[in-house]
Amino acid sequence: MADEAKAKGNAAFSSGDYAAAIRHFSDAIALSPENHVLYSNRSAAYASLQKYTEALADAKKTVDLKSDWSKGYSRLGAAHLGLNQYDDAVSAYKKGLEIDPNNGPLKSGLSDAQAAAAAAASRSRSVPPSTNPFGDAFSGPEMWARLTADPTTRAYLQQPDFVKMMQDIQRDPNNLNLHLKDQRVMQAIGVLLNVKIRTPTDDTDMPESSSPSPSERKRAAEAEPAKQPEPESEPEPMEVTSEERSAKERKAQAQKEKEAGNAAYKKKDFDTAIEHYSKAMELDDEDISYLTNRAAVYLEMGKYDECIKDCENAVERGRELRSDFKMIARALTRKGTALVKMAKCSKDYEPAIETFQKALTEHRNPDTLTKLNEAEKAKKELEQLEYFDPKLAEEEREKGNEFFKQQKYPEAIRHYTESIRRNPKDPKAYSNRAACYTKLGAMPEGLKDAEKCIELDPTFSKGYNRKGAVQFFMKEYDKALETYKEGLKHDPNNQELLDGIARCVQQINKASRGDLTPDELKERQAKGMQDPEIQNILQDPVMRQVLIDFQENPKAAQEHTKNPMVMSKIQKLISAGIVQMK
């Protein structure tokens, strides 16, 4: 259960839904309070929402639970940095590096903390402010938090030259002009100023699903544009070596093979498409799109093992080449899709779900998130089907009945719950468990089971009796009376329902006669004021006038008594103790 909640939290975090991630991690912590990883993950989610106080508390708990885990100190440093506690942040990062001296994030965090501390010290010495209009955007640790929160700039932070440029700009915002030619810096400015800046993108060309629509097939056939090199500050040399010329020619030929593969794919000539993609890979092994395209063809052909192998090779090669994280995410998504196609039982969905989750950590993609949700739903449905056994369900229900007779209600609930898991469509198990909950005073749970019982079999009188009993104990006598009456429509001679009606009428008449004690009246009024139906009646302008007439205008009040709807509402107010008739 804790692992399931953790997985949901990871997926939510990857998709940028940090509030949902916090809820899921909190659920996991409730089930496994000594798991240091859960506190670490929740700390990261809090930090992403800039709730650094909560992030700090979780980071400290992480370190307390596992003091030799370097990542805990990374979380601790980040939280201190977010709270502008620079010395504490430096101390935390240094402690983490004592455990893991080669840890990249810790080194980067320490550098950021030291730079922030130095900047704060400079400000305290009244250094004249920068005249750069973007200066505030690059000040303090907030810059690194924003860059980390954005999926595009988060990838840039893994590139040392980009980090160095941003540190240079943060030290002196006037240096921004020196780096404006770099598209990554332009993208970072857009994130920090909350402005969308268009930069060249690298779109892929193959379909995401195994059954693409015609329009998707059209897009799949379009060639993927080659990445444009960044402009160089020095002019390109006039002379080109034969090796460089040969490499360019091979890349150009690989692109032609890819285009031919796309055209063949569009015509559903899959064997030819595979042949062209394979030739493209032989000519240029530095573009993983050839692998992912061939994997898509294998997926369409139903050759799932080959598809998975190509996707795994694409991920491995992509990491070596530091390829666009979107391409790696696409390869992982295709692998997950193939695993789903191969799934025959609920356990077969587990590697697919894990693969989709990994894809989401690479890139926030709505299609991947949809596939993840569908896989989780399919797994759950299969688990229920695999567990379904009416015979065992009947046996468990009988065991629950024995414990109920012995007044061992918790044990009875356990067996009724197992019976429901074995056969979720049995109304009797819900009815029996509702009776146990009522005995234990767990009225909301009892009401929920009784309503489920009625939903499964609207003619089953026991369901109405269970629901009416819960409502009676909750002192909702009007609602209980309506429930018992509804049950009598299906079983007019049912004595339990008739007795329930008599009890409700007795309590309602007691309020009408004013026989309630002051404490009973106070309790009933408080409960009535919480009822949305009572609130609506009291807020109705017409009913307000009716109540005034009953007090001040007997003639008008006499007319109101002839209106059944008005009197029905008056009766509800009387039953709730809000109005007393004398």
Side-chain angles (χ1 to χ4, degrees), residues 15 39 41 55 111 225 252-253 288 301 333 361 371 446 486 500 519 541:
S15 66
Y39 290 98
N41 290 3
S111 177
Q253 184 60 36
I288 65 171
M301 296 174 70
T333 299
T361 63
K371 289 178 181 291
E486 186 66 26
D519 289 341

Side-chain angles (χ1 to χ4, degrees), residues 102-113:
N102 298 318
N103 188 290
L106 284 169
K107 289 181 178 180
S108 177
L110 177 60
S111 177
D112 295 342

Side-chain angles (χ1 to χ4, degrees), residues 431 458-466 468-469 483-503:
S431 171
T459 65
F460 187 45
S461 59
K462 277 285 186 183
Y464 297 97
N465 187 52
R466 302 298 188 207
T483 299
Y484 287 131
K485 287 181 177 179
E486 186 66 26
L488 284 175
K489 293 179 182 179
H490 304 285
D491 189 358
N493 299 317
N494 187 289
Q495 192 58 47
E496 289 183 326
L497 294 174
L498 292 170
D499 291 343
I501 288 176
R503 290 195 300 271

Side-chain angles (χ1 to χ4, degrees), residues 284-324:
D284 181 11
D285 66 346
E286 294 185 353
D287 188 339
I288 65 171
S289 70
Y290 310 139
L291 268 171
T292 57
N293 284 11
R294 190 173 73 174
V297 179
Y298 282 134
L299 183 65
E300 188 73 17
M301 296 174 70
K303 295 183 177 182
Y304 303 126
D305 288 328
E306 290 88 340
C307 172
I308 291 171
K309 184 177 179 181
D310 270 1
C311 290
E312 290 175 344
N313 289 337
V315 172
E316 182 179 356
R317 184 61 176 151
R319 296 199 191 284
E320 292 174 359
L321 298 171
R322 300 181 69 84
S323 299
D324 187 346

